[in-house]
């Protein structure tokens, strides 16, 4: 399937977790994940997985729509915008404020159940996942970054800033990266 894949990481959570008791950490991360997943679902995403303080989601896996790429990037922008208000609700004093680093890439992948008789999980397999994850590792808090595969198709609908090309582990040669600045 042709997917748009997102990796989002909650930055700053390790420092917060160090100052809390384990049940408080679980409660806080559950609040953030509920917020993130609620917004993802409203934008038509399929959640792939949670890994510690990050989550992965995709558009186009289960019920592809012609505007999946644009809906995905709009979701990333909404996550960044609404996180500000959510932080105020969860942490009025700012002591538990977190930031998101979000990256998107589009391409061919296989999506579906992976596992064996006793345990299956929905997941995505393909280079689109590794490229997105590695780009997200380079993302700064508050940013939404996309690769050229999305830029080529969305350039007339988004305000983008071309960033210096980056080298991603496991890839040969630099890739073009764009920061989303608005619609």
């Amino acid at each position: 399937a042709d997917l748009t894949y997102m990796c989002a990481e909650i930055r700053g959570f390790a420092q917060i977790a160090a100052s809390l008791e384990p049940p408080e950490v679980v409660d806080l991360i559950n609040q953030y994940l509920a917020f993130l997943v609620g917004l993802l679902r409203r934008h038509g995403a399929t959640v792939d997985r949670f890994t510690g303080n990050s989550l992965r989601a995709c558009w186009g896996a289960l019920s592809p729509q012609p505007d999946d790429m644009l809906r995905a990037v709009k979701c990333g922008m909404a996550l960044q915008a609404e996180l500000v208000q959510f932080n105020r609700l969860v942490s009025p004093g700012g002591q538990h404020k977190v930031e998101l680093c979000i990256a998107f890439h589009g391409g061919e992948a296989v999506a579906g159940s992976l596992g064996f008789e006793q345990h299956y999980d929905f997941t995505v397999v393909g280079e689109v996942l590794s490229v997105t994850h590695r780009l997200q590792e380079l993302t700064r808090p508050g940013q939404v970054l996309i690769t050229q595969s999305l830029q080529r198709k969305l350039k007339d609908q988004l305000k983008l800033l071309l960033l210096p090309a980056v080298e991603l582990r496991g890839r040969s040669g630099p890739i073009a990266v764009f920061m989303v600045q608005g619609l």
Side-chain angles (χ1 to χ4, degrees), residues 2-71:
D2 192 22
L3 302 177
T4 303
Y5 201 78
M6 178 192 88
C7 288
E9 181 182 83
I10 301 171
R11 293 265 171 92
F13 202 80
Q15 294 84 353
I16 294 167
S19 68
L20 299 172
E21 293 298 318
E24 295 172 307
V25 173
V26 170
D27 183 52
L28 189 59
I29 195 87
N30 283 338
Q31 289 180 61
Y32 279 105
L33 290 175
F35 157 74
L36 295 171
V37 170
L39 224 155
L40 286 164
R41 290 210 170 118
R42 285 197 301 277
H43 284 85
T46 300
V47 175
D48 180 4
R49 68 182 54 167
F50 303 115
T51 54
N53 61 333
S54 67
L55 70 88
R56 299 172 184 187
C58 62
W59 286 257
L62 299 179
S63 55
Q65 302 296 317
D67 64 341
D68 278 335
M69 285 183 186
L70 184 59
R71 286 187 308 130

Side-chain angles (χ1 to χ4, degrees), residues 85-128:
Q85 181 60 28
F86 187 77
N87 272 322
R88 285 192 198 115
L89 295 172
V90 171
S91 180
Q95 70 277 22
H96 298 145
K97 177 185 169 217
V98 298
E99 297 175 297
L100 282 175
C101 300
I102 301 173
F104 291 95
H105 179 55
E108 287 293 315
V110 176
S113 294
L114 184 69
F116 56 96
E117 194 173 300
Q118 288 84 16
H119 183 83
Y120 286 98
D121 276 330
F122 172 85
T123 195
V124 175
V125 178
E127 185 186 32
V128 68

